[in-house]
Structure formats: C-alpha cells, structure tokens
Amino acid sequence: MNDELEQRPTSTGMRLRLKWDVARNAPDGLAELRKRQLRQSTDVWSESDRRNVGDFLQQQIARERARDDAGTWSEQLSRALDYRAWHQFAIQRYRDGQWVPASGPASGGERVLAASIPLFAAASSYYGSASNRHAPRLIALDEAFAGVDDDSRAKCLGLLASFDLDVVMTSEREWGCYPQVPGLAIAQLSRREGIDAVLVTPWRWDGHGHRYAVPRPRSQAGSASAAEADD
C-alpha cells in the first residue's frame, strides 16, 4: 500500500504513508515475531518459523481459556485469534522534512485528500494481488465528495484514474467532467412528481468535453447481431 502511495503524490506534492505498529496492549512476543516473519513470504518459512508462529498462537488460546473458562470453544478461539486488536494504524503526511500525523492542521481540500487517498491506495493494492491483470478494479462511491470544493473533487477523481480504479459513483450534482479524468459514462436521472417513471439521459466525457450519447435502438442492435451471426 505504501508503494502505491509513494508512486502517486498529489498534484500539490502531498505525500502520505501508512504507519503500521504493534498496539500498546498487543500480546507479549508479537513485536519480535513480526520482525522475523513479516520480512518473508509464508512460502519460504522454515520449520522453525512455522513452529514459532504456532507456539505464539497456542499461547493466545491458552491465555483466553484461562481468562474465561466458561466460554465456548468457538468464542475462545474467536477472541484469542482476533489479530485486529494486535495492531494500530495511522496515516502520516510528509511535511517540512519529517513524517507527521495527517490529522494535523490543513485546508479542507487537504483533509479530504488525506482521508481519501489511503482508501484508494488500499483498494489498488488489493486489486493488484489478482492473478489476472485485466480483472475489474471496482470501487463504489455513494454521494461522492459531498461538501467538497470543485478543485478537491477534480484532484480526487484524477487520483482515482491514476490508480486505474473502475469507479461507479452517485452524486446529486457531481458529473466528474474535469481535465484530470480521461473518460466517463454518465447517466443523468430526472423525474417529476406524480409520474411513476425516471428519465435516463446518457452522456459521455472524453477528457475535453461531454456529449449526448445517442442510445442504440434495440431493434437495430438485434438486427446487427443477427446479421453478424449469419455472416
């Protein structure tokens, strides 16, 4: 994820990183285990490596059973192996030659970027693990960037494009027609009170301007498909 963030600083030069540390109340021995095992893939773990991890997990199970011997086996395992409580995460920003918390003083637009970019990077990193590089990289945004100024919206959408994410979003007013966005398919929905129907008007944005996308009649599409099949 930090590789994704490093490769894509914002147009203003903002650099962010994820800081992943052992939590203060983490189990004893976790910090040392992390130092040894996180440096390599599980595929190359030695028998000793696997034994160390197994011993650590057995200790967590034994500790949980001693703490609550009335609980069920399933409950004890769920609590003992809940690794989410073993770590703490923080987003940091590079400023004045040092990494500082991204939650510090910043403009409204910078705060939006600091909150959004790590999420985009996380999605991009996750999709990057797919074995098929042509697999969809879908991300859905509801009421995208509500309350954010146009400049920050443009930067966020431009970063989504740079992360090569396939975005589906809804918004009351945002069309996404910014030079930073290379292309969009837009569906404008319109309705009137008392009419049980919604008008869908398709538009296309190509990075320079938007135009009405003329729908292809179904009858013509069917005829064309039949003709192609006959050929």
Side-chain angles (χ1 to χ4, degrees), residues 23-220:
R24 294 179 181 177
N25 59 344
D28 295 337
L30 177 63
E32 184 61 31
L33 189 67
R34 272 172 41 109
K35 289 180 182 178
R36 293 197 306 267
Q37 308 307 139
L38 287 181
R39 296 175 183 172
Q40 55 187 348
S41 167
T42 56
D43 296 335
V44 296
W45 279 6
S46 66
E47 190 63 33
S48 176
D49 292 331
R50 297 181 184 279
R51 186 166 53 252
N52 289 335
V53 173
D55 290 345
F56 172 79
L57 296 178
Q58 288 292 342
Q59 291 172 11
Q60 308 319 307
I61 295 171
R63 183 179 293 111
E64 183 58 35
R65 293 184 66 184
R67 189 189 69 82
D68 180 21
D69 58 1
T72 66
W73 180 242
S74 176
E75 292 171 342
Q76 292 171 349
L77 279 180
S78 296
R79 289 192 294 266
L81 304 181
D82 187 1
Y83 58 86
R84 295 172 299 177
W86 301 351
H87 302 91
Q88 59 186 15
F89 303 90
I91 300 298
Q92 295 183 329
R93 176 181 179 181
Y94 193 74
R95 173 182 284 174
D96 299 329
Q98 60 182 337
W99 291 101
V100 297
S103 57
S107 66
E110 289 178 329
R111 285 196 294 269
V112 170
L113 290 172
S116 302
I117 295 174
L119 298 178
F120 301 159
S124 179
S125 178
Y126 176 75
Y127 284 129
S129 65
S131 57
N132 185 345
R133 64 187 182 90
H134 299 296
R137 296 164 58 86
L138 184 65
I139 183 171
L141 303 175
D142 185 30
E143 291 298 328
F145 313 119
V148 179
D149 63 88
D150 289 345
D151 181 62
S152 297
R153 288 169 180 253
K155 290 174 181 175
C156 285
L157 288 169
L159 282 167
L160 283 169
S162 72
F163 279 114
D164 193 26
L165 293 171
D166 303 316
V167 185
V168 177
M169 68 180 192
T170 65
S171 177
E172 180 182 358
R173 59 175 290 268
E174 180 58 67
W175 280 45
C177 299
Y178 302 105
Q180 295 90 333
V181 181
L184 279 177
I186 304 165
Q188 181 186 14
L189 308 182
S190 306
R191 62 179 297 272
R192 289 186 178 181
E193 290 293 335
I195 300 178
D196 296 331
V198 176
L199 173 65
V200 181
T201 307
W203 301 87
R204 293 289 185 272
W205 168 257
D206 61 6
H208 304 285
H210 67 274
R211 59 182 175 79
Y212 176 66
V214 180
R216 188 178 183 184
R218 290 189 177 183
S219 58
Q220 292 183 12

